[in-house]
Amino acid sequence: MNFDWMDRLFELATTWFWLLTLATWRALPILILVTAITLAFRRKLSPSLHAMLLTIVVIRLLIPVSLGSPLSFHKPIDSWLLSESDGAVNQRRNGEVREHSYSNSYGVLPSTDAAETQWVPIQAQAQPFISFSDAWEAILFASLCVVIFVSTALLIRSVVSHIRFALKLRSCPVLDDQKLIDLLLRECDSLAVGRRPVVREVASLEAPAVFGLFRHTICFPPGLIERLSERELRWVIRHELAHVRRYDIHVAIIASIAGALHWFNPVVWLIEKRLRTAMEAAADRLALQNVSPGDTVAYGELLLGFAEVRDKRKNGPTLGLISIASGKDLKRRIELLVQDRKPTSLTAKILSAAVVTVIAGAGLTDARDASGQKMPAMHLVAGDSVEQHVEPMWNEAWSVQETDGPAFVERYHVASIFETMPESISGSQNSGVEKLVSWLGLPSSLKAKLHLEGMSLSAELTPRQHLLLGQRLEIWKNGEPKQIMIEARFIQTDTLTASSIDWIGSRIDGLTIKGIGPAIAARIDQPKLNQLVKTVSSDPRGNIMFAPRVVLFDGQMGVIADEVKRPFVTGVNPKADGRIQPIVSIANEGLTFVLTPKSSEDDSITLDFEVKVSSVGKVSYANLPIKSATEVAPQLTVQVPAIEQYEVSSSAKLAAGESIVVAIPRVFDNAPGADAETTIIVALTPRIVEQELRVESESAK
């Protein structure tokens, strides 16, 4: 039986639920702050300010991902999460910095001491996918489907109710009594409502309401004008116009959508209820501006009368329709009516606007660190379709580094380069150096360091830069080389899934292993690789932790790295003046691929690869026998990290569609544990770009 559609449905369900959970998590700090403000200023907090603060919470419930800001409420929380997760990107924890990068230039790693620079495998949290072998997973699948079904049904019901009421409203008679129109115009001017709403008589309503997103309509039940006095009619009109002026209909629609999506969350129900109460209370205050206490009592009795009639009918909710009476919220509204309503001072208005602006700016944005990089709260890689984001480093490889050493001059013969250069470049008016830089794709910063005499190029560069330039000239001596795309996957799975690969029959000989630990390598075709990825994606214990792509020229060396820089105080340097200066060594933990592809005339690719997986294990301490100026006994302690480095390298010739897979089993103690059944698989898939484009073009036709 084919369960592909179930897998896709489960991916949709988990993604839906994950976004809802993330949106709830983002709204939580705003809700806590708004609740604290409400409790602290319960008697002094105006309903209008309360409604605006709750609106920010509701909007955040619909925005799981937002723009980044260094002032976001989520920055301290995300920073803590990143410090607890090895798979976080661009993190800073006690001076550590994780960097994800790849180099499309000749990414030659500088020669460094293994005790100073190391790499460690990435740890990322896997998004759960269903495996129907477990009954509990089937229950989870059904539960998530129920969440989607109910949310979709509630949204459809809300939209249908809005459309039905809008169509019904067209056939309702317009109330155009001149006294009513004059009163409506006066109150529109009083409340600064620009466009006068239409007043219609709606037989299905028992209490006044306002409806509409752009063209607002005030809805009166039959006979309302005859039953109300002129003073009461003015209150009703002012109340409905207050909703129009405050854009309460739009806010109510947003709250309804949030309630439908988060229908299973009782906290969201409470937020939506309090928001509607605050909006109604704010409209009540606008309706009762500059009135006597007796008028307030009469207004409360009017609300009670509308609520009693409305409860008898129990009309269903209509999206975009706000009624003046609400039986559930009426008690709180009347309590707010009888409170002392002093006119709001200009200082209070400015302070309220500042509070709303700060909370909205800090709450509706995601965390961004000082370097401008967005900080993810949780790192999820959902199968093969989601790739980890990496930034290209085209010219950084040519920049001068501290370990490069002094620059010196070396000469290169570039006659073959100019012979294969296209006429559009060689025939230009640019200098010879500019032609070389343009044709070879060298950074413009090297122009001042290059000098061309005839067909001899002299370059004053550092040793590493000379190595890069020599490689570039060697690759381009026969004309523009082919481009090869390499996709690298770093997969964590169990030994049973890893054993589906024919490691014996398709093995790659000549595997070089540096360090203590087992590893095996084999060739695998594309269908089997796709099946492996699919199996890992459907297993909640599996994880595709790292899957970048890099495009290299034929014969070019490239580096893909994910590193964490960890500082350690490994020694001290006594100064002549008696001061003691600590020696700080930086260890780069992470995963590094060093790849060099070479194509043949038969379109096969020979891939030289090196995979480095290292870690800093237990950190011990040592006391140096050195006295400081203020201590009697030696108290200088330094760190001694245990460096564990593991390298696997080889070279293999691959036919079109083949990949290299390298299995690195996890090391475990002689005791039961999860690592005993865990295997890391590194999959390297090279493709000639021209072939890929040709296949895609033929497929499109």
Side-chain angles (χ1 to χ4, degrees):
M1 184 175 180
N2 188 359
F3 290 107
D4 287 348
W5 68 272
M6 293 186 180
D7 291 338
R8 288 193 293 268
L9 182 60
F10 191 79
E11 289 186 31
L12 174 62
T14 51
T15 301
W16 182 298
F17 189 75
W18 158 247
L19 292 176
L20 293 180
T21 304
L22 181 59
T24 304
W25 173 256
R26 294 300 192 193
L28 183 59
I30 315 175
L31 178 60
I32 294 175
L33 180 59
V34 171
T35 303
I37 294 175
T38 304
L39 295 176
F41 302 95
R42 183 175 181 84
R43 293 291 179 181
K44 298 181 180 180
L45 187 68
S46 68
S48 178
L49 178 58
H50 191 200
M52 286 189 285
L53 295 178
L54 290 175
T55 301
I56 297 174
V57 179
V58 170
I59 293 176
R60 186 75 240 208
L61 286 170
L62 298 177
I63 308 178
V65 180
S66 182
L67 299 176
S69 168
L71 302 178
S72 174
F73 286 147
H74 310 286
K75 185 173 182 179
I77 301 176
D78 289 352
S79 298
W80 176 78
L81 285 175
L82 293 177
S83 67
E84 298 297 323
S85 172
D86 292 334
V89 183
N90 294 328
Q91 66 173 331
R92 284 173 172 80
R93 180 189 59 176
N94 297 328
E96 301 174 13
V97 180
R98 177 176 291 274
E99 299 176 349
H100 294 272
S101 63
Y102 68 79
S103 172
N104 281 1
S105 299
Y106 301 94
V108 180
L109 295 175
S111 59
T112 56
D113 188 356
E116 295 181 357
T117 305
Q118 297 296 327
W119 294 267
V120 71
I122 307 166
Q123 301 293 330
Q125 181 179 355
Q127 182 171 352
F129 288 89
I130 190 164
S131 174
F132 286 94
S133 60
D134 196 328
W136 286 107
E137 293 175 348
I139 294 174
L140 175 62
F141 171 72
S143 301
L144 292 177
C145 288
V146 169
V147 171
I148 294 181
F149 176 79
V150 175
S151 297
T152 305
L154 291 175
L155 289 174
I156 292 175
R157 187 187 71 169
S158 298
V159 173
V160 170
S161 68
H162 180 89
I163 295 175
R164 289 180 59 185
F165 191 84
L167 296 176
K168 180 181 179 180
L169 203 60
R170 294 181 179 180
S171 60
C172 295
V174 177
L175 299 179
D176 53 0
D177 180 75
Q178 190 60 44
K179 291 184 178 180
L180 176 63
I181 298 301
D182 292 341
L183 178 60
L184 182 61
L185 288 174
R186 288 197 303 270
E187 299 307 327
C188 285
D189 294 338
S190 175
L191 295 177
V193 176
R195 188 174 183 181
R196 176 178 67 86
V198 177
V199 182
R200 292 181 182 270
E201 188 177 76
V202 183
S204 60
L205 297 181
E206 296 296 331
V210 63
F211 177 81
L213 283 173
F214 307 105
R215 187 66 172 96
H216 299 98
T217 302
I218 297 178
C219 306
F220 281 177
L224 178 68
I225 299 178
E226 291 76 11
R227 297 199 307 268
L228 298 181
S229 64
E230 182 177 352
R231 181 183 60 173
E232 292 174 334
L233 182 61
R234 177 175 176 269
W235 290 341
V236 170
I237 291 178
R238 285 180 63 86
H239 180 96
E240 305 305 343
L241 289 178
H243 286 309
V244 175
R245 175 187 169 183
R246 292 171 33 81
Y247 298 96
D248 285 342
I249 298 177
H250 304 79
V251 175
I253 291 176
I254 294 175
S256 298
I257 295 175
L261 294 176
H262 297 265
W263 62 270
F264 51 87
N265 190 344
V267 176
V268 179
W269 306 345
L270 181 61
I271 294 172
E272 185 180 3
K273 176 182 176 181
R274 290 188 175 181
L275 174 59
R276 294 183 183 277
T277 301
M279 289 192 301
E280 292 295 340
D284 292 337
R285 285 209 172 186
L286 280 178
L288 296 178
Q289 279 184 344
N290 303 321
V291 298
S292 63
D295 290 336
T296 302
V297 174
Y299 183 83
E301 293 175 351
L302 179 66
L303 293 181
L304 286 173
F306 286 138
E308 291 175 357
V309 177
R310 187 169 182 264
D311 285 342
K312 295 177 182 179
R313 292 292 300 270
K314 294 183 180 180
N315 293 325
T318 300
L319 189 68
L321 180 70
I322 300 181
S323 175
I324 193 174
S326 175
K328 295 180 180 180
D329 305 328
L330 194 57
K331 179 179 178 181
R332 177 59 182 161
R333 288 176 61 184
I334 294 178
E335 289 178 356
L336 293 174
L337 282 176
V338 299
Q339 289 182 6
D340 184 21
R341 299 188 307 276
K342 296 180 180 179
T344 305
S345 64
L346 179 60
T347 303
K349 292 181 179 179
I350 295 176
L351 183 60
S352 299
V355 169
V356 172
T357 302
V358 171
I359 295 179
L364 298 180
T365 56
D366 292 344
R368 186 176 295 274
D369 61 20
S371 64
Q373 297 297 321
K374 196 169 181 181
M375 300 168 61
M378 296 183 182
H379 183 65
L380 294 180
V381 179
D384 186 41
S385 61
V386 179
E387 297 181 7
Q388 183 167 333
H389 180 67
V390 289
E391 293 293 338
M393 298 170 59
W394 288 95
N395 297 328
E396 286 79 351
W398 294 87
S399 60
V400 177
Q401 301 180 6
E402 295 180 359
T403 57
D404 281 357
F408 62 92
V409 177
E410 189 170 336
R411 294 184 178 274
Y412 302 88
H413 297 286
V414 293
S416 61
I417 301 293
F418 279 95
E419 289 175 0
T420 58
M421 191 178 295
E423 179 65 25
S424 59
I425 297 179
S426 61
S428 66
Q429 300 299 321
N430 296 331
S431 64
V433 171
E434 291 175 339
K435 295 176 183 178
L436 278 176
V437 170
S438 175
W439 175 232
L440 300 179
L442 300 176
S444 58
S445 59
L446 294 183
K447 289 182 182 179
K449 302 178 182 180
L450 303 178
H451 303 279
L452 187 64
E453 298 177 2
M455 291 291 105
S456 178
L457 178 68
S458 61
E460 184 178 3
L461 304 171
T462 65
R464 185 176 56 85
Q465 289 176 329
H466 277 298
L467 179 60
L468 296 177
L469 180 60
Q471 291 178 347
R472 181 69 62 95
L473 294 175
E474 178 66 22
I475 292 174
W476 287 70
K477 67 180 182 180
N478 296 321
E480 185 176 6
K482 296 180 180 178
Q483 288 183 315
I484 299 176
M485 180 189 69
I486 303 177
E487 183 171 10
R489 295 182 178 91
F490 192 67
I491 303 171
Q492 176 180 296
T493 185
D494 54 49
T495 54
L496 180 61
T497 302
S499 64
S500 63
I501 300 174
D502 185 8
W503 297 102
I504 304 300
S506 303
R507 72 181 184 276
I508 295 176
D509 297 324
L511 195 66
T512 302
I513 301 175
K514 296 181 181 180
I516 300 176
I520 53 177
R523 294 176 178 83
I524 187 173
D525 58 22
Q526 191 62 41
K528 292 182 180 179
L529 179 61
N530 292 340
Q531 182 61 40
L532 173 65
V533 171
K534 181 180 177 181
T535 303
V536 173
S537 300
S538 63
D539 186 353
R541 296 163 296 180
N543 189 10
I544 300 178
M545 299 186 291
F546 194 35
R549 293 179 180 179
V550 61
V551 178
L552 303 172
F553 287 110
D554 192 357
Q556 180 183 15
M557 177 186 291
V559 176
I560 303 174
D562 177 75
E563 297 178 344
V564 175
K565 296 184 178 181
R566 298 188 59 185
F568 296 98
V569 178
T570 56
V572 294
N573 185 17
K575 297 294 184 179
D577 57 2
R579 292 184 296 109
I580 296 177
Q581 180 181 9
I583 299 174
V584 180
S585 300
I586 303 296
N588 292 338
E589 281 191 313
L591 170 72
T592 301
F593 298 89
V594 182
L595 308 171
T596 305
K598 299 176 182 178
S599 65
S600 304
E601 294 182 358
D602 59 354
D603 289 336
S604 63
I605 299 175
T606 300
L607 181 61
D608 298 337
F609 64 92
E610 181 178 358
V611 182
K612 298 182 180 181
V613 182
S614 305
S615 65
V616 177
K618 179 181 178 181
V619 179
S620 303
Y621 300 89
N623 288 323
L624 296 179
I626 301 176
K627 282 187 178 182
S628 65
T630 59
E631 299 292 340
V632 177
Q635 294 294 328
L636 293 178
T637 303
V638 296
Q639 296 172 299
V640 184
I643 307 297
E644 299 177 2
Q645 181 169 313
Y646 193 73
E647 298 181 12
V648 179
S649 61
S650 185
S651 178
K653 185 176 182 179
L654 304 174
E658 287 187 331
S659 302
I660 295 174
V661 285
V662 181
I664 307 174
R666 283 285 180 87
V667 179
F668 61 93
D669 297 328
N670 191 17
D675 288 343
E677 301 298 328
T678 303
T679 299
I680 300 299
I681 296 179
V682 177
L684 304 173
T685 307
R687 297 286 185 270
I688 298 177
V689 174
E690 297 175 357
Q691 293 179 348
E692 292 291 310
L693 295 176
R694 192 184 311 121
V695 171
E696 292 179 1
S697 177
E698 293 176 355
S699 301
K701 293 179 180 179

